[in-house]
Amino acid sequence: QVQLVESGGGLVQPGGSLKLSCAASGSIFSIYAMAWYRQAPGKQRELVADITSGGSTNYEDSVKGRFTISRDNASNMVYLQMHSLKPEDTAVYYCYAHIRTSYSGSYSDYWGQGTQVTVSS
């Protein structure tokens, strides 16, 4: 059993900052990619940023230069530091991880329950 639990969402004014955290726990052998997705009302879920176990990162164009994804492999954590937040960043943010639960097993996708980020004055 694997769980992903996000924290750090909330209400922030435009131009403000927030840091999201996600902890992966349970029967984890290894984690390849971890990522943050978001889904705004009436829109499809979209990739915000991802990071491999080696530290390679990828960002959605609208967040480049404002958001930074990082991870702590020792503690199975992934973070999203968000600066210069805009109202259009308002969404539910979901943590994602590609996890193998045993040496001989295959990788599977796991999701957190989501955390709300609201950017409003």
Side-chain angles (χ1 to χ4, degrees), residues 39-119:
Q39 186 166 21
K43 294 189 176 182
Q44 288 190 328
R45 190 175 297 190
E46 64 174 1
L47 175 67
V48 176
D50 61 29
I51 183 168
T52 67
S53 56
S56 297
T57 59
N58 175 58
Y59 294 92
E60 194 269 328
D61 285 346
S62 70
V63 308
K64 286 180 180 177
R66 300 189 298 122
F67 291 9
T68 301
I69 189 170
S70 60
R71 65 188 278 180
D72 182 337
N73 290 330
S75 60
N76 294 331
M77 298 283 296
V78 64
Y79 307 96
L80 186 67
Q81 178 68 59
M82 304 183 290
H83 295 298
S84 303
L85 282 160
K86 305 175 181 180
E88 50 264 43
D89 295 317
T90 295
V92 177
Y93 283 70
Y94 296 91
C95 177
Y96 160 90
H98 200 49
I99 296 173
R100 188 165 56 158
T101 57
S102 67
Y103 175 78
S104 59
S106 58
Y107 282 92
S108 298
D109 298 331
Y110 294 88
W111 295 90
Q113 80 287 353
T115 185
Q116 177 70 46
V117 171
T118 302
V119 184

